[in-house]
Amino acid sequence: MKKGYIVAAADVLGIGETKNTAARGDTEGYTAVLIGRSMVGIRAGDIVRVVNYLKKQSDVIPLKIVAITFNDMCLALIHATAFDSSINNISLIGSLISYQSIAMNRFFKIGITKRPNSDYWHPVEVDFTWGIASVLTAYDLPDLIGCIAPRKVVLAELRNPMLEPASPELISKELGFPRAVYSFDKAPGNLKIIEKADDLGTIVNWSFE
């Protein structure tokens, strides 16, 4: 906003005003599983609806709609952008690198939070809002990033299954496909992978260039 951009904050399901405060914070995820949906897909739909609203505003340039998000919300934005070309460029800060990296490792931390009362019989709460049933039978996150090409994508502070910084080796292994797609589209510079998001202003400016 300080840079003069119009900003819309998507209040997706389970966040902010739509969060269920009458029960544990994982209620939405459990409900989605029961009805055969995924929170990632529902939230992606919420993001698309915000974009459709913006496109109808007289003071918004439709070709200049970009998005930035953090951590778990990166999954929804990746899906929304892959299926809606109205979202021109995106910046993902702290995104999980892939679902495959979880399936191929015994231990992971995404969706697992410690209970505030350590005396409870089970010390952690499992939240499946990040998951999609049978996702790896069809695609993975790097595949969707390839679908976004040649639009600009910033991947900053990528995370491995333990939500630790992804190693260069893991990044090279998991992101080979989207890198190849961007090179094929003659836009390799539009896929930017950076270790730290120290200057969000610079990232946002690059998205609007």
Side-chain angles (χ1 to χ4, degrees), residues 100-111:
Q100 176 177 266
S101 65
I102 293 177
M104 299 302 292
N105 288 277
R106 181 178 180 184
F107 300 104
F108 61 91
K109 283 188 176 179
I110 188 169

Side-chain angles (χ1 to χ4, degrees), residues 1 5-10 12 47 51 54 64-78 81 87-94 152-156 194 197-208:
M1 288 186 292
Y5 299 126
I6 295 172
V7 178
V12 300
I47 293 171
V51 172
L54 287 173
K64 287 288 187 178
I65 296 176
V66 306
I68 183 171
T69 193
F70 300 83
N71 303 326
D72 291 357
M73 293 299 106
C74 292
L75 304 176
L77 182 56
I78 292 173
T81 309
I87 307 172
N88 292 281
N89 306 313
I90 61 172
S91 298
L92 307 168
I93 316 298
K152 289 182 176 180
V153 175
V154 175
L155 300 172
I194 58 180
D198 294 326
D199 188 352
L200 292 180
T202 299
I203 292 175
V204 171
N205 286 340
W206 182 78
S207 298
F208 278 104

Side-chain angles (χ1 to χ4, degrees), residues 31-51:
T31 304
V33 171
L34 289 173
I35 64 174
R37 299 282 302 277
S38 74
M39 285 293 290
V40 174
I42 294 171
R43 287 171 171 172
D46 291 340
I47 293 171
V48 170
R49 280 184 281 276
V50 171
V51 172

Side-chain angles (χ1 to χ4, degrees), residues 23-187:
R24 298 198 308 272
D26 306 323
T27 303
E28 294 87 358
Y30 294 142
T31 304
V33 171
L34 289 173
I35 64 174
R37 299 282 302 277
S38 74
M39 285 293 290
V40 174
I42 294 171
R43 287 171 171 172
D46 291 340
I47 293 171
V48 170
R49 280 184 281 276
V50 171
V51 172
N52 289 337
Y53 170 80
L54 287 173
K55 290 191 297 184
K56 295 177 182 178
Q57 306 309 303
S58 59
D59 52 352
V60 172
I61 304 173
L63 296 179
K64 287 288 187 178
I65 296 176
V66 306
I68 183 171
T69 193
F70 300 83
N71 303 326
D72 291 357
M73 293 299 106
C74 292
L75 304 176
L77 182 56
I78 292 173
H79 283 77
T81 309
F83 292 100
D84 187 348
S85 60
S86 300
I87 307 172
N88 292 281
N89 306 313
I90 61 172
S91 298
L92 307 168
I93 316 298
S95 175
L96 175 70
I97 192 168
S98 71
Y99 284 118
Q100 176 177 266
S101 65
I102 293 177
M104 299 302 292
N105 288 277
R106 181 178 180 184
F107 300 104
F108 61 91
K109 283 188 176 179
I110 188 169
I112 298 177
T113 56
K114 290 185 177 181
R115 294 180 185 272
N117 184 359
S118 58
D119 294 332
Y120 192 78
W121 71 273
H122 199 290
V124 298
E125 184 81 39
V126 178
D127 175 11
F128 198 62
T129 57
W130 57 273
I132 302 173
S134 303
V135 62
L136 288 175
T137 63
Y139 68 91
D140 201 352
L141 301 177
D143 301 318
L144 295 184
I145 293 171
C147 293
I148 297 171
R151 287 172 284 169
K152 289 182 176 180
V153 175
V154 175
L155 300 172
E157 302 179 9
L158 285 165
R159 301 294 175 182
N160 66 17
M162 296 300 290
L163 297 184
E164 299 168 345
S167 67
E169 294 77 16
L170 182 61
I171 291 173
S172 178
K173 175 183 176 182
E174 296 291 347
L175 298 184
F177 174 72
R179 279 174 163 166
V181 173
Y182 272 84
S183 295
F184 180 81
D185 284 344
K186 297 180 173 57

